[in-house]
């Protein structure tokens, strides 16, 4: 090494490192993923896509499972194997049309339908008790025959009627600042709800009465009912429920089958136990679509109330968790729509529909798992039954319509679905003509939605 002028070796100076503040931060993949998921979750159209996509997947998977679970039952009744599937597919097609109509209707029209739907539901529920018109199915007098193999259960439409009418009533009272008085909060909402419950209980349908009660409590909670008032109504409903259960040997037997692992004397818990058997034999990924053993006469109501058990046997834990995740996403989207709106009717209606679907799913799945008594309610959008499917799909259309009105959702939809059209120009090729309209719509949507998210 060459020396310096003084003959000494040169002094090596330490390389200066940039201060820690100027160093670029290390890229954390977990934090980056969390940020991206949070941004996607906060987009205006998140609730819209969750409701539309979740309900579509639940309905399609339900059609597949209805076809698989109902074949043996149909053959045992000397019917074609696809008999129940064809009826469910017809109901799903009509329900899809109702969903599209409801999703495009303005809020004012939904509010205008509240009283006609309530009057129609009460009238049909009263007809059920008329001899020669109403018919009994599985011990419940809650059906009206439409001729042939088609029946209708008016109590299912009573759920939709209570949601729409109750939301309109509470919204009008909130506009007049009357909900601060407990009399206006209870009357006439609670008496009308009790009237619907009375008509349902005349036919002995305890499960539908529980769902209707859950909707009533959901509306009162959204309206801001004080705790003492809420507890008072809940105490009255619980007392009536205990009386109805104690006075019915069938309901007492169902209550005693919670957590049962043996059919018991007289096979009183046969359905509950075989539902557990079906879930237990499915494993992680199931025995395969169509390969269920319990549906061969061992599990009653395999395509209606206990279709979740057949799903667990054929699709395994992965299939059942997927169904639960879809219902959880649907419930979250409904809560989000109810929480972000400024319209009181939208808040009450969205909250009522979310309470309805969530409570019914919890009661059905809880009964299949042996955690709750068997209430005889179908799994929403999934089980066989056109009477339950039609009002539920109309209610999903309500949620979609409300989700489209979220802040920024309309502008984001305009960007997602541009109108491809050209202004008429004189001469020149198609590429030389005036720009398309969607460019103007994009600028207009961006100005209306400063966040830039779709």
């Amino acid at each position: 090494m060459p020396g310096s002028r003084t003959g000494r070796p040169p002094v090596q100076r330490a390389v200066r490192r940039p201060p820690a503040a100027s160093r670029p931060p290390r890229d954390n993949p977990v934090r980056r993923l969390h940020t991206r998921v949070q941004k996607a979750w906060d987009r205006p159209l998140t609730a819209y896509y969750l409701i539309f996509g979740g309900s579509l997947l639940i309905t399609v998977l339900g059609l597949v499972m209805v076809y698989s679970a109902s074949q043996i039952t149909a053959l045992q009744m000397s019917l074609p194997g696809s008999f129940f599937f064809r009826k469910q597919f017809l109901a799903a097609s009509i329900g899809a049309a109702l969903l599209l109509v409801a999703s495009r209707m303005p809020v004012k029209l939904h509010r205008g339908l509240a009283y006609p739907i309530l009057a129609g539901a009460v009238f049909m529920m009263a007809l059920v008790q008329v001899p020669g018109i109403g018919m009994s199915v599985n011990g419940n007098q809650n059906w009206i025959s439409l001729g042939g193999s088609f029946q209708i259960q008016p109590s299912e439409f009573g759920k939709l009627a209570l949601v729409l009418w109750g939301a309109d009533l509470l919204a009008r009272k909130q506009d007049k600042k009357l909900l601060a008085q407990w009399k206006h909060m209870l009357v006439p909402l609670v008496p009308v709800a009790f009237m619907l419950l009375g008509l349902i209980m005349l036919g002995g349908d305890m499960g539908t009465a529980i769902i209707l009660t859950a909707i009533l409590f959901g509306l009162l909670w959204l309206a801001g009912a004080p705790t003492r008032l809420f507890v008072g109504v809940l105490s009255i409903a619980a007392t009536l429920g205990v009386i109805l259960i104690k006075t019915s040997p069938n309901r007492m037997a169902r209550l005693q089958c919670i957590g049962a692992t043996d059919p018991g004397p007289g096979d009183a818990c046969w359905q509950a136990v075989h539902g557990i058997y079906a879930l237990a034999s499915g494993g992680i990924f199931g025995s395969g679509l169509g390969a269920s053993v319990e549906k061969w006469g061992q599990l009653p109501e395999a395509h209606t109330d206990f279709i979740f058990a057949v799903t667990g046997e054929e699709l395994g834990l992965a299939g059942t968790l997927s169904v639960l995740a879809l219902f959880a996403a649907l419930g979250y989207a409904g809560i989000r729509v109810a929480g972000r709106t400024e319209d009181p009717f939208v808040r009450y209606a969205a909250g009522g529909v979310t309470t309805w679907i969530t409570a019914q799913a919890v009661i059905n799945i809880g009964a299949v798992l042996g955690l709750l008594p068997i209430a005889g309610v179908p799994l929403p959008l999934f089980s066989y039954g056109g009477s339950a499917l039609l009002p539920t799909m109309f209610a999903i259309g309500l949620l979609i319509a409300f989700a489209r009105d979220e802040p920024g959702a309309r502008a984001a939809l305009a960007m997602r679905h541009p109108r491809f059209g050209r202004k008429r120009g004189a001469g020149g090729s198609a590429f030389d003509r005036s720009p398309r309209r969607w460019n103007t719509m994009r600028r207009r949507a961006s100005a209306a939605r400063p966040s830039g998210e779709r």
Side-chain angles (χ1 to χ4, degrees), residues 351-366:
V353 171
T354 305
T355 303
W356 163 13
I357 295 176
T358 305
Q360 188 164 327
V362 168
I363 291 174
N364 177 276
I365 296 174

Side-chain angles (χ1 to χ4, degrees), residues 216-292:
L216 173 62
F217 288 149
L219 291 174
L220 289 175
W221 183 78
L222 289 170
T227 305
R228 60 182 183 276
L229 184 62
F230 200 84
V231 172
V233 177
L234 182 61
S235 301
I236 295 175
T239 303
L240 292 176
V242 170
I243 294 174
L244 292 173
I245 292 175
K246 287 288 187 180
T247 55
S248 173
N250 184 29
R251 298 191 186 108
M252 283 297 298
R254 291 185 180 186
L255 191 64
Q256 295 172 358
C257 290
I258 297 178
T261 57
D262 185 84
D267 293 333
C269 301
W270 178 273
Q271 187 178 21
V273 170
H274 279 272
I276 298 296
Y277 289 168
L279 291 172
S281 61
I284 302 298
F285 298 105
S287 58
L289 193 62
S292 170

Side-chain angles (χ1 to χ4, degrees), residues 264-313:
D267 293 333
C269 301
W270 178 273
Q271 187 178 21
V273 170
H274 279 272
I276 298 296
Y277 289 168
L279 291 172
S281 61
I284 302 298
F285 298 105
S287 58
L289 193 62
S292 170
V293 175
E294 290 293 333
K295 68 183 181 183
W296 287 77
Q298 300 296 323
L299 181 63
E301 308 295 336
H303 61 296
T304 54
D305 300 342
F306 271 68
I307 193 172
F308 188 76
V310 178
T311 303
E313 185 179 4

Side-chain angles (χ1 to χ4, degrees), residues 62-216:
L63 286 172
V64 174
M65 293 311 304
V66 165
Y67 180 66
S68 175
S70 64
Q71 291 184 23
I72 306 305
T73 304
L75 294 176
Q76 289 176 344
M77 299 171 63
S78 301
L79 296 171
S82 60
F83 176 77
F84 294 104
F85 170 76
R86 292 200 304 264
K87 291 183 63 178
Q88 185 74 355
F89 184 79
L90 176 62
S93 301
I94 299 174
L98 292 176
L99 185 148
L100 292 176
V101 170
S103 65
R104 295 291 179 176
M105 290 169 54
V107 175
K108 290 183 178 180
L109 186 54
H110 285 304
R111 299 187 67 167
L113 290 176
Y115 281 87
I117 291 179
L118 177 64
V122 172
F123 177 74
M124 289 191 300
M125 291 167 68
L127 284 181
V128 169
Q129 307 304 324
V130 177
I133 298 180
M135 59 180 299
S136 177
V137 176
N138 294 331
N140 292 337
Q141 184 80 13
N142 281 307
W143 297 82
I144 295 177
S145 177
L146 300 180
S149 61
F150 292 93
Q151 301 93 24
I152 188 172
Q153 189 176 4
S155 57
E156 294 291 340
F157 295 88
K159 304 173 186 176
L160 178 63
L162 181 60
V163 168
L164 284 177
W165 177 80
D168 177 69
L169 175 70
L170 293 175
R172 286 189 288 108
K173 290 196 173 187
Q174 180 173 332
D175 292 338
K176 298 179 180 179
K177 303 184 185 305
L178 296 176
L179 291 182
Q181 306 176 27
W182 66 271
K183 294 181 180 180
H184 286 283
M185 184 174 292
L186 293 181
V187 181
L189 178 62
V190 175
V192 171
F194 279 10
M195 178 188 66
L196 294 175
L197 288 171
L199 290 174
I200 292 173
M201 290 308 301
L202 282 177
D205 191 355
M206 186 74 177
T208 305
I210 293 175
I211 305 300
L212 211 68
T213 305
I215 295 174
L216 173 62

Side-chain angles (χ1 to χ4, degrees), residues 337-355:
V337 170
R340 291 195 172 191
T341 183
E342 298 293 336
D343 189 339
F345 171 79
V346 174
R347 180 169 64 253
Y348 295 133
V353 171
T354 305
T355 303

